[in-house]
């Protein structure tokens, strides 16, 4: 370890001396390895220090360059370095062989994800957070980085540095505000200038704080250059439009400074205003990044990435015809700053409205700057979930009120996803969204017919379009809840538009969304009645590359879910309990909630089934079905179902599932919580140092467990509110002869036996150790900051690591063997 540190310092010194000798490459910014800035002309400079580069350094030449970038990003995000220092033009990563750069603005939105856990060790590349960011950024890094070999590309590297690390020029008149640093400048403005403005900020909507910043930013000599902004600066006072104060307790049209403008002058003396035109357009367009994160989440605001804007318009052309823009009208009724309408060519047929008047002003500014091709008169403020259509421009009213024209209206939207009582709120980690979702007129109007689905804002948009702009075309981005979620069953019975072309993309390709789930674009024809049951969707990767086709089902006509199936084999009264299965919920997103433990008392709110000799095969099948197929962003919302009868006669499938369950990472049986009945071997096979307390599993496999009829009870208090009363179907799954295993299952048993043998060679080995206990012995534990004890992810024992790797590889083969039958027997739909 010491040599690695020395070598890394040597690499940094070499890079510093050979390529950055004209710069100051000595600053220390927290845990960032390497920073490059301008050489100070004097110690008492007024300006913030400007940085060209923040970089991650590595010894040797074997490190994954993309992983190094991810480590750097976590380092920055954990320490909030981007909020404490002016961000650099480039982020970088290098070792003794190569160096790579990426412009900071390409990854800036990563730092503003909702709810990402930055409190992980950046150098630990095995955390789920590291893998999440790596998956999120890998393709973008491959596309955007400039990579140089330090020897072969030396001349090109020096040219790149000279061209992009400009010395001295930007320091003369102050710091230029660019796409790399505008968020930082805004955050500093909020800290330093906002408190000096004589405004009761409780009277100003939180989204409108940005408008005061814009008034300063787009000014010269303390005079805002754009008259149409919501707030303009005129010398020593702001002139404020009354519209932005909707709902305020007091109204005013001007505001002054409470410190004689001292903070304002000290702040803006550091910067060059206004920004260059190309930067200004981007700053106005990305207003969403300047809105507080909690408010963005509360409003459900998500910026539609350009690749999905383009793709959605391609699908509209395929669905409605190549000349659709000339034949149809378009209305985006939750337009934000208008990016969904970018690329449309028929401005006389396009309308844009939004709840926030400040966004309206931004769209007008973009129209003026010719970055948005719309008519000023077609861009307006409108609260779609509350306002009457009488408030719409007359030309749009004429379209809605004319049956023929209404058939040619496309309501084209990426609506907010805010939900009342979301999971995070219910778990106590998020602000309750009830007010945003259930206090508008649309919610109250449609709640009686669509039920709990009405708590979702996007469902409210869809219902108003379907009911009040009937026969129009609805083209929308949304989660798949409208198609799949059980809570949307009532919605699907009422919203009976015909689904046309559609596609799916990963949710985390949208800014501020980190979840691993699909977002879809769907085209609905409200003039044709059809209850949704099934569709085939095109699937695209985050950069627009086609991946595959995916079936989506409503499940409304299925026989029930997998929980109902397992519940028919409940055996609560049987005294021979060998474990307890946590049932979770019935989709992939809740896969982690399906696991096996010794007894239900280990859970604070137990929901699941006791495992007994009678239902052991069924419970094993349940766990294997739930975990043999990896949860991905694409299958995240797929539902596990009540199977057909085929599984009952497939003994080989049952034995595969039994084997999978024994060695699954979700088998959390631990000897400290009671007798371990889950050892599939006998003492002689594994060289145990003493007798096992239980031979149940080995006896079961050898066909030596006697069948006992399940005990019945006359009355029973249902401890599981969402489950049915105990029933049995009379089937017996207890073998009377030794089980026969597939080659894949046998490979797992053989690998497991070798692991057990190695464990029982250890001094003081517990004869009753479970699979979980064995892993715990070799890997050890750690205590998190919250006080939770967790197993370490790795071990220092090389033999153990090799044996465990063999077992996991065999488990992958068994999982692949089980997967086709999961679909064949109807546990999942393809």
């Amino acid at each position: 370890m010491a040599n690695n540190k020395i070598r890394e310092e040597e690499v940094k010194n070499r890079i510093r001396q050979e390529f950055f000798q004209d710069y100051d490459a000595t600053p220390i910014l927290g845990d960032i390895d390497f920073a490059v800035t301008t050489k100070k002309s004097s110690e008492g400079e007024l300006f913030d220090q400007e940085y060209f580069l923040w970089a991650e350094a590595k010894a040797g030449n074997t490190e994954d360059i993309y992983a190094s970038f991810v480590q750097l990003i976590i380092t920055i995000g954990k320490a909030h370095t981007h909020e404490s220092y002016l961000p650099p033009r480039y982020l970088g990563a290098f070792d003794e062989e190569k160096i790579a750069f990426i412009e900071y603005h390409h990854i800036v939105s990563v730092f503003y994800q909702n709810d990402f856990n930055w409190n992980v060790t950046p150098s630990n590349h095995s955390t789920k957070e590291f893998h999440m960011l790596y998956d999120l950024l890998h393709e973008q890094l491959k596309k955007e980085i400039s990579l140089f070999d330090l020897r072969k590309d030396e001349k090109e590297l020096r040219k790149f540095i000279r061209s992009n690390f400009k010395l001295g020029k930007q320091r003369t008149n102050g710091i230029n505000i660019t796409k790399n640093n505008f968020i930082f400048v805004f955050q500093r403005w909020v800290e330093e200038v906002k408190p000096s403005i004589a405004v009761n900020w409780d009277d100003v909507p939180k989204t409108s704080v940005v408008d005061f910043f814009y008034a300063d930013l787009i000014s010269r000599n303390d005079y805002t250059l754009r008259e149409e902004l919501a707030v303009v600066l005129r010398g020593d006072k702001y002139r404020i439009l009354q519209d932005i104060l909707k709902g305020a307790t007091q109204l005013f049209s001007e505001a002054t400074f409470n410190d004689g403008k001292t903070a304002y002058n000290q702040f803006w003396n550091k910067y060059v205003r206004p920004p260059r035109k190309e930067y200004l357009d981007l700053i106005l367009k990305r207003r969403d990044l300047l809105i507080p994160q909690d408010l963005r989440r509360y409003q459900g605001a998500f910026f539609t990435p350009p690749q999905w804007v383009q793709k959605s318009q391609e699908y509209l052309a395929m669905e409605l015809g190549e000349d659709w823009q000339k034949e149809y009208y378009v209305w985006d009724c939750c337009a934000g700053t208008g990016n969904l309408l970018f690329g449309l060519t028929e401005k006389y047929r396009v309308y844009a409205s939004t709840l926030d008047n400040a966004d309206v002003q931004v769209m007008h500014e973009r129209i003026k700057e010719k970055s948005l091709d719309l008519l000023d008169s077609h861009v307006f403020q409108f609260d779609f979930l509350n306002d009457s259509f009488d408030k719409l421009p007359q030309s749009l009213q004429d379209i809605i009120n004319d049956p023929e024209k209404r058939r040619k209206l496309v309501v084209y939207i990426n609506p907010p996803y805010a939900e009342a009582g979301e999971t995070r709120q219910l778990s106590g980690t998020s602000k309750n969204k009830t007010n945003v979702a259930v206090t508008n007129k649309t919610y109250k109007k449609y709640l009686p017919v669509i039920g709990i689905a009405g708590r979702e804002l996007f469902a409210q948009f869809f219902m108003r379009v379907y009911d009040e702009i009937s026969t129009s075309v609805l083209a929308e981005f949304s989660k798949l809840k409208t198609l799949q979620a059980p809570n949307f069953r009532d919605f699907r019975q009422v919203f009976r538009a015909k689904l046309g072309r559609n596609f799916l993309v990963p949710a985390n390709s949208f800014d501020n969304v980190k979840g691993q789930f699909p977002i879809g674009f769907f085209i609905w024809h409200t003039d044709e009645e059809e209850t949704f049951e099934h569709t085939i969707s095109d699937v695209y990767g985050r950069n627009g590359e086609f991946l595959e086709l995916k079936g989506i089902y409503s499940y409304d006509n299925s026989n029930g879910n997998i929980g109902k199936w397992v519940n028919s084999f409940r055996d609560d009264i049987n005294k021979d309990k060998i474990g307890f299965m946590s049932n979770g919920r019935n989709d992939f997103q809740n896969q982690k909630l399906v696991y096996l433990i010794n007894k239900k008392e280990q859970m604070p709110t137990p929901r699941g089934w006791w495992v007994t000799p009678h239902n052991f095969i069924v419970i094993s099948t349940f766990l294997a079905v739930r975990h043999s197929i990896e949860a991905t962003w694409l299958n995240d919302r797929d539902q596990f179902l009540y199977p057909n009868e085929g599984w009952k006669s497939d003994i080989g499938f049952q034995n595969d599932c039994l084997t999978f369950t024994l060695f699954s990472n979700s088998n959390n049986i631990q000897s400290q919580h009671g007798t371990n009945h889950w050892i599939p071997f006998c003492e002689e096979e594994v060289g145990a140092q003493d007798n096992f307390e239980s031979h149940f599993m080995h006896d079961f496999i050898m066909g030596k467990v006697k069948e006992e009829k399940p005990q019945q009870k006359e009355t029973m208090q249902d401890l599981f509110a969402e489950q049915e009363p105990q029933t049995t179907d009379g089937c017996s799954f207890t073998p009377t002869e030794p089980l026969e295993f597939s080659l894949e299952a046998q490979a797992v048993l053989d690998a497991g036996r070798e692991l057990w043998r190695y464990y029982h060679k250890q001094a003081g080995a517990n004869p009753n150790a479970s699979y979980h206990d064995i892993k715990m012995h070799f890997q050890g534990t750690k205590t998190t900051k919250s006080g939770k004890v967790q197993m370490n992810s790795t071990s220092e024992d090389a033999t153990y690591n090799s044996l465990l790797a063999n077992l996991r590889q065999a488990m992958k083969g068994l999982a692949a063997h089980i997967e086709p039958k999961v679909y064949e027997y109807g546990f999942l739909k393809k």
Side-chain angles (χ1 to χ4, degrees):
M1 291 300 291
N3 287 337
N4 285 340
K5 290 183 179 179
I6 293 172
R7 289 180 61 198
E8 183 177 302
E9 286 303 315
E10 290 173 351
V11 172
K12 288 158 64 174
N13 286 336
R14 178 196 165 194
I15 295 293
R16 187 179 291 121
Q17 293 165 8
E18 292 189 16
F19 297 99
F20 297 103
Q21 65 271 32
D22 295 329
Y23 306 83
D24 182 0
T26 62
I28 298 175
L29 274 67
D31 291 327
I32 294 175
D33 287 340
F34 194 82
V36 177
T37 184
T38 55
K39 288 186 176 180
K40 291 185 179 182
S41 57
S42 67
E43 288 300 320
E45 284 195 11
L46 173 66
F47 306 116
D48 283 342
Q49 191 77 2
E50 292 180 73
Y51 290 92
F52 297 122
L53 176 68
W54 294 347
E56 177 71 24
K58 294 294 181 184
N61 60 4
T62 60
E63 292 286 342
D64 178 352
I65 196 73
Y66 306 119
S68 296
F69 273 106
V70 173
Q71 181 174 332
L72 173 64
I73 289 166
I74 295 178
T75 300
I76 295 169
K78 182 175 183 178
H80 301 282
T81 314
H82 59 299
E83 297 174 359
S84 302
Y85 298 91
L86 194 67
R89 180 169 185 180
Y90 289 97
L91 296 182
F94 60 83
D95 56 27
E96 65 185 39
E97 180 180 87
K98 58 188 176 292
I99 187 169
F101 305 90
I102 185 172
E103 285 195 76
Y104 177 82
H105 73 88
H106 285 305
I107 58 86
V108 65
S109 61
V110 170
F111 295 119
Y112 299 94
Q113 295 182 95
N114 287 334
D115 311 318
F116 183 78
N117 175 26
W118 293 101
N119 292 318
V120 294
T121 303
S123 59
N124 184 353
H125 294 193
S126 65
T127 64
K128 67 177 182 179
E129 288 81 5
F130 190 95
H131 287 294
M132 184 184 300
L133 281 190
Y134 190 95
D135 293 342
L136 181 66
L137 293 170
H138 184 249
E139 290 301 321
Q140 187 172 14
L141 289 169
K142 284 175 60 178
K143 178 181 177 182
E144 302 293 349
I145 66 170
S146 299
L147 178 63
F148 301 90
D149 185 290
L150 294 176
R151 296 172 182 85
K152 298 177 183 178
D153 304 323
E154 180 179 353
K155 185 180 296 184
E156 291 82 0
L157 173 57
R158 293 187 185 281
K159 182 178 179 181
F160 177 88
I161 294 172
R162 285 196 307 270
S163 300
N164 295 287
F165 290 34
K166 299 287 188 180
L167 286 170
K169 292 182 179 179
Q170 62 265 60
R171 300 302 296 261
T172 303
N173 298 312
I175 299 170
N176 288 312
I177 299 172
T178 70
K179 56 190 174 184
N180 292 315
N181 63 24
F182 76 94
I183 300 175
F184 172 86
V185 175
F186 171 70
Q187 291 171 337
R188 280 288 180 88
W189 179 92
V190 169
E191 295 173 6
E192 298 179 22
V193 179
K194 179 188 169 210
S196 71
I197 302 173
V199 168
N200 181 354
W201 292 105
D202 291 336
D203 291 341
V204 179
K206 289 184 179 180
T207 57
S208 294
V209 172
V210 180
D211 296 300
F212 286 83
F213 174 69
Y214 281 169
D216 286 5
L217 181 71
I218 311 172
S219 68
R220 184 178 290 117
N221 299 325
D222 300 342
Y223 191 95
T224 303
L225 303 177
R226 299 285 190 260
E227 289 284 350
E228 64 275 12
L229 293 180
V231 179
V232 295
L233 180 65
R234 294 291 181 260
D236 61 354
K237 62 184 64 176
Y238 294 94
R239 187 169 298 163
I240 305 164
L241 297 182
Q242 299 291 336
D243 290 352
I244 75 169
L245 297 170
K246 184 177 181 180
T249 56
Q250 69 179 61
L251 300 179
F252 52 85
S253 58
E254 290 184 344
T256 59
F257 294 89
N258 56 28
D259 67 345
K261 216 174 177 184
T262 300
Y264 170 93
N265 289 329
Q266 290 178 351
F267 181 84
W268 287 114
N269 283 343
K270 303 175 186 178
Y271 301 100
V272 177
R273 295 181 291 165
R276 286 162 50 183
K277 181 179 179 300
E278 63 268 30
Y279 297 150
L280 180 57
D281 179 58
L282 181 140
I283 293 168
L284 292 171
K285 182 179 179 182
R286 293 315 310 268
R287 175 190 177 92
D288 62 301
L289 291 177
L290 304 182
I291 295 173
Q293 277 187 273
D294 61 337
L295 192 59
R296 285 204 304 271
R297 187 189 310 126
Y298 189 74
Q299 293 182 330
F302 298 105
F303 179 85
T304 313
Q307 70 267 31
W308 306 140
V309 173
Q310 179 181 352
K311 188 66 67 178
S312 67
Q313 292 175 13
E314 291 175 7
Y315 273 64
L316 281 165
M318 289 190 289
E319 183 75 11
L320 304 178
E322 186 176 345
D323 295 327
W324 75 279
Q325 292 192 52
K326 296 180 179 179
E327 298 176 11
Y328 285 81
Y329 302 95
V330 176
W331 179 21
D332 184 351
C333 55
C334 42
T337 56
N339 73 302
L340 189 59
L341 304 176
F342 184 80
L344 298 183
T345 58
E346 302 295 325
K347 63 182 178 182
Y348 289 93
R349 305 179 73 88
V350 180
Y351 296 83
S353 63
T354 183
L355 175 64
D356 192 345
N357 182 68
D359 284 341
V360 174
Q361 302 304 321
V362 170
M363 282 191 280
H364 285 309
E365 180 65 21
R366 295 184 67 196
I367 292 170
K368 184 175 181 179
E369 297 290 337
K370 300 189 183 305
S371 64
L372 192 62
D373 192 18
L374 298 177
L375 295 177
D376 277 312
S377 60
H378 284 194
V379 176
F380 52 95
Q381 183 180 15
F382 184 75
D383 183 350
F384 188 82
L385 298 181
N386 282 298
D387 289 345
S388 166
F389 287 164
D390 293 341
K391 295 183 179 181
L392 297 174
Q394 188 59 49
S395 58
L396 182 54
Q397 289 189 51
D398 293 342
I399 295 169
I400 291 175
N401 294 330
D402 185 317
E404 293 305 314
K405 288 183 177 179
R406 192 166 64 243
R407 289 181 181 275
K408 294 294 184 179
L409 175 61
V410 178
V411 180
Y412 179 35
I413 55 175
N414 179 13
Y417 301 153
E419 171 190 0
E422 60 163 9
T423 301
R424 292 175 60 259
Q425 178 264 313
L426 293 174
S427 65
T429 60
S430 175
K431 186 176 181 178
N432 193 317
K433 293 184 180 179
T434 300
N435 288 339
V436 73
V438 302
T439 58
N440 60 67
K441 294 179 180 178
T442 301
Y443 168 79
K444 295 174 182 177
K445 179 176 181 179
Y446 294 107
L447 177 64
V449 293
I450 66 174
I452 195 170
R455 298 172 71 85
E456 301 266 7
L457 284 180
F458 68 89
Q460 297 173 23
F461 274 89
F462 298 168
M463 276 308 304
R464 189 173 191 193
V465 172
Y466 179 75
D467 188 52
E468 300 179 39
I469 318 179
S470 60
T471 73
S472 65
V473 175
L474 173 62
E476 50 86 4
F477 287 91
S478 67
K479 300 177 184 179
L480 273 58
K481 288 185 175 183
T482 53
L483 308 183
Q484 291 186 304
N487 286 343
F488 276 69
R489 185 185 300 268
D490 291 341
F491 175 90
R492 287 188 287 273
Q493 296 303 310
V494 177
F495 184 88
R496 302 186 65 192
K498 181 179 180 179
L499 179 60
R501 285 176 172 82
N502 57 88
F503 63 83
L504 306 178
V505 301
N508 62 17
S509 63
F510 287 69
D511 284 0
N512 306 313
V513 183
K514 72 177 180 66
Q516 300 288 319
F517 61 89
I519 286 179
F521 176 72
F522 305 99
I523 302 174
W524 300 92
H525 298 273
T526 68
D527 61 341
E528 298 183 60
E529 187 171 299
E530 182 176 281
T531 302
F532 174 76
E533 294 183 359
H534 171 245
T535 190
I536 301 293
S537 290
D538 298 331
V539 181
Y540 294 93
R542 60 179 300 104
N543 292 315
E545 69 279 14
F546 178 80
L547 298 179
E548 59 182 289
L549 297 175
K550 166 70 174 172
I552 306 176
Y553 302 84
S554 71
Y555 307 113
D556 291 343
N557 296 321
S558 65
N559 293 328
N561 58 50
I562 194 172
K564 179 180 179 181
W565 168 70
V566 183
N567 201 53
S568 66
F569 295 91
R570 271 177 64 186
D571 191 15
D572 291 351
I573 319 173
N574 194 321
K575 63 181 180 180
D576 296 324
K577 296 177 173 63
I578 63 172
F580 187 81
M581 175 64 70
S582 171
N583 64 356
R585 298 188 180 91
N586 299 303
D587 53 19
F588 272 99
Q589 66 174 315
N590 292 289
Q591 192 180 52
K592 292 181 179 180
L593 299 179
V594 174
Y595 54 86
L596 184 65
I597 54 177
N598 296 63
K599 48 193 176 185
K600 71 178 184 179
E601 287 79 11
Q602 293 171 241
M603 302 173 64
T605 52
R607 300 179 64 82
W609 306 276
W610 283 109
V611 188
T612 70
H614 173 71
N615 66 10
F616 165 64
I617 286 293
V618 175
I619 296 292
S620 296
T621 301
F622 170 77
L623 185 141
V625 165
R626 292 300 305 268
H627 284 284
S628 59
I629 300 174
E630 181 184 2
T632 67
W633 70 266
L634 186 55
N635 65 22
D636 186 70
R637 268 38 176 183
D638 288 0
Q639 301 284 318
F640 287 88
L641 304 172
Y642 200 114
N644 58 48
E645 295 292 295
W647 71 276
K648 284 186 177 181
S649 58
D650 192 339
I651 305 303
F653 171 69
Q654 295 172 19
N655 294 345
D656 286 339
C657 291
L658 181 158
T659 307
F660 184 94
T661 297
L662 291 175
F663 300 96
S664 169
N665 286 332
S666 296
N667 183 337
N668 295 326
I669 295 292
Q670 300 178 50
S671 57
Q672 65 172 316
H673 294 300
T675 301
N676 173 20
H677 300 283
W678 296 77
I679 305 174
F681 312 112
C682 67
E683 289 89 343
E684 291 78 8
E685 283 184 274
V686 296
Q689 299 176 16
D690 204 341
N691 293 321
F692 298 155
E693 289 182 14
S694 170
H695 296 87
F696 168 79
M697 195 60 61
H698 183 261
D699 288 348
F700 189 93
I701 291 172
M702 299 306 295
K704 296 181 179 179
V705 172
K706 293 183 179 180
E707 170 73 4
E708 294 184 11
K709 187 176 182 179
Q711 299 182 48
Q712 300 294 324
K713 59 181 178 180
E714 296 180 1
T715 61
M716 180 177 95
Q717 182 181 2
D718 187 0
L719 300 178
F720 307 96
E722 294 185 1
Q723 300 175 354
E724 298 176 355
Q726 172 175 324
T727 61
T728 62
D729 64 359
C731 294
S732 172
F733 300 102
T734 304
T736 57
E737 298 179 354
L739 300 184
E740 296 183 7
F741 294 100
S742 65
L743 293 176
E744 292 81 2
Q746 191 61 56
V748 170
L749 287 165
D750 291 344
R753 187 181 299 107
E754 292 304 312
L755 180 63
W756 250 260
R757 284 175 177 169
Y758 182 65
Y759 169 74
H760 284 290
K761 291 179 181 179
Q762 310 302 308
N766 176 8
N768 300 301
S770 66
Y771 178 44
H772 187 281
D773 294 334
I774 292 173
K775 290 189 293 181
M776 184 86 76
H777 170 81
F778 288 107
Q779 295 174 208
T781 61
K782 61 183 178 182
T783 303
T784 66
K785 291 182 179 179
S786 62
K788 183 178 180 181
V789 177
Q790 291 183 342
M791 187 187 302
N792 293 320
S793 58
T794 59
S795 170
E796 295 181 358
D797 188 314
T799 302
Y800 165 77
N801 288 338
S802 177
L803 292 171
L804 184 64
N806 292 340
L807 176 55
R808 287 176 173 171
Q809 189 62 35
M811 282 288 285
K812 288 182 179 179
L814 179 57
H817 187 62
I818 292 172
E819 180 176 348
K821 293 187 177 181
V822 173
Y823 293 100
E824 179 183 344
Y825 298 140
F827 290 103
L828 285 174
K829 290 188 176 183
K830 196 69 174 179

